[in-house]
Amino acid sequence: MLKTLDPQTQAFRDDVIKGLSSPTPAIPARWLYDHRGSELFDDITRLPTYYPTRTETAIFHDIMPEVAARVPKGAVVVEFGAGSATKTPILLEAIAPAAYVPVDISGDYLEKSAADLQQRFPSIDVIPVTADFARPFTLPGGIDHLPKLGFFPGSTIGNFVPWSATDLLRQFRALLGPGSQLLIGMDRAKPVDRLLAAYDDPEGVTAAFNLNLLERINRELDGDIPVDAFRHQARWNDILSRIEMHLVATRDVEFGIAGHSFSFAAGKSIHTENSHKYGPRGGRVLLLAGGWTPHAEWTDGDGDFAEVLAVA
Ligand code: AVI
């Protein structure tokens, strides 16, 4: 019997069926983040080999006085993503904006993090918006006249292929308006062994995060994928300057998902995520192509991660 699926599950099913039917199988990375996937990603951010979160947080502590000096008083901070419990408070504390607007597709997670921040910062008007920030949406009323600071930390921009990243940056510009600013985190290219260790940790947390996608398909789409027939693999793609996550079949397998049959020969992979790494010039060119002019840039002492402030 055909089950009626909610729109989100329908979109998941369509992406999975289309993605696995391609000669180069791939599933969009956004489906990695169900409840379990988000928990596992949280664990990743604390791994010794996963340097980005730690490094960006340390940069924030150093640069906030300078950022605050460049952001007009009474601004509105619009964060693309629900807001990390460690990074967002550093920014809010430093610039004391009039309002903080976190935008995230996961309503539950958003409400919870917004409520926590509202309690911690009673003088800031916290206005959560449930929306997919990668698609056009509108800002809440009553803040049109205030200066805006977009906030996009974590190097999430790296999870978009450059042409989509450019579209996304242009959309941020259209939303926030000319004269607004954007504070964005970008992970830098670095020796391949460090990158591979960050995305294939010895503890196996990133592997569990990646394999959870197959478990999610089985859970939500009535799949019967033998998860133990796939292994996590992180690859460095030098031409495209990105880490790719794949799930590689370790033996010949056949499985079904929502009435569709698939067969994978041993060695065939499902591409599940890209994480682009930018050099200083490449990062600035990307921002310029997206309609943002960089006017300040900071890195940690080793040049592992960069924080850029740009103006629309
Ligand atoms: C969310 N994003 C910035 C992470 C990254 O580093 O690209 C996602 C991630 N995937 C595996 N580890 C971390």
Side-chain angles (χ1 to χ4, degrees):
M1 208 179 74
L2 266 183
K3 267 202 285 187
T4 323
L5 302 176
D6 63 86
Q8 164 92 344
T9 313
Q10 256 178 53
F12 180 35
R13 182 196 57 194
D14 294 350
D15 276 355
V16 167
I17 302 301
K18 184 164 167 246
L20 294 186
S21 307
S22 157
T24 49
I27 298 175
R30 68 195 193 102
W31 300 114
L32 290 164
Y33 299 88
D34 64 344
H35 184 75
R36 180 73 190 129
S38 301
E39 281 177 351
L40 286 163
F41 177 64
D42 230 50
D43 294 344
I44 288 174
T45 63
R46 287 187 286 272
L47 289 168
T49 53
Y50 190 76
Y51 60 85
T53 311
R54 232 185 1 261
T55 310
E56 189 181 39
T57 307
I59 296 174
F60 278 162
H61 281 294
D62 287 350
I63 69 170
M64 275 312 153
E66 285 178 67
V67 173
R70 290 166 189 261
V71 175
K73 296 279 160 272
V76 176
V77 172
V78 178
E79 179 163 1
F80 302 104
S84 117
T86 49
K87 287 179 240 173
T88 308
I90 305 173
L91 178 71
L92 297 184
E93 189 128 359
I95 71 167
Y100 167 63
V101 180
V103 183
D104 200 275
I105 195 166
S106 161
D108 290 354
Y109 187 68
L110 178 68
E111 293 297 333
K112 163 93 180 63
S113 79
D116 290 350
L117 285 165
Q118 184 64 87
Q119 202 173 21
R120 184 157 169 196
F121 297 97
S123 61
I124 302 173
D125 202 2
V126 178
I127 318 169
V129 171
T130 304
D132 178 355
F133 66 68
R135 288 167 209 267
F137 65 95
T138 47
L139 288 175
I143 57 169
D144 299 3
H145 58 293
L146 298 173
K148 312 279 182 323
L149 173 69
F151 184 42
F152 197 35
S155 195
T156 304
I157 193 72
N159 297 130
F160 293 78
V161 291
W163 57 91
S164 309
T166 313
D167 286 351
L168 185 67
L169 291 167
R170 286 180 174 273
Q171 189 197 303
F172 289 173
R173 188 183 195 281
L175 180 81
L176 300 176
S180 59
Q181 298 191 76
L182 178 69
L183 183 64
I184 182 168
M186 289 181 152
D187 194 12
R188 285 274 167 90
K190 56 182 60 62
V192 176
D193 54 341
R194 286 196 58 210
L195 288 168
L196 290 175
Y199 290 84
D200 192 4
D201 55 281
E203 294 88 345
V205 182
T206 310
F209 171 67
N210 200 5
L211 286 160
N212 175 61
L213 179 60
L214 301 182
E215 277 149 18
R216 180 178 187 187
I217 293 172
N218 285 348
R219 269 195 304 271
E220 294 183 24
L221 304 178
D222 268 344
D224 63 2
I225 306 172
V227 177
D228 65 346
F230 286 85
R231 71 177 177 88
H232 164 71
Q233 189 180 54
R235 297 181 190 164
W236 173 247
N237 183 328
D238 198 47
I239 290 279
L240 299 178
S241 191
R242 70 188 191 195
I243 283 282
E244 297 177 0
M245 291 208 312
H246 290 258
L247 290 163
V248 183
T250 53
R251 54 181 159 87
D252 296 351
V253 274
E254 295 193 351
F255 53 87
I257 301 167
H260 297 254
S261 307
F262 299 93
S263 62
F264 270 63
K268 187 168 164 176
S269 89
I270 307 169
H271 184 176
T272 53
E273 191 180 54
N274 293 313
S275 194
H276 294 79
K277 308 300 171 189
Y278 291 100
R281 288 178 196 280
R284 288 178 213 143
V285 169
L286 184 79
L287 284 164
L288 285 164
W292 294 91
T293 305
H295 65 105
E297 187 173 294
W298 302 270
T299 63
D300 55 297
D302 296 327
D304 280 346
F305 198 96
E307 213 56 39
V308 185
L309 190 62
V311 63

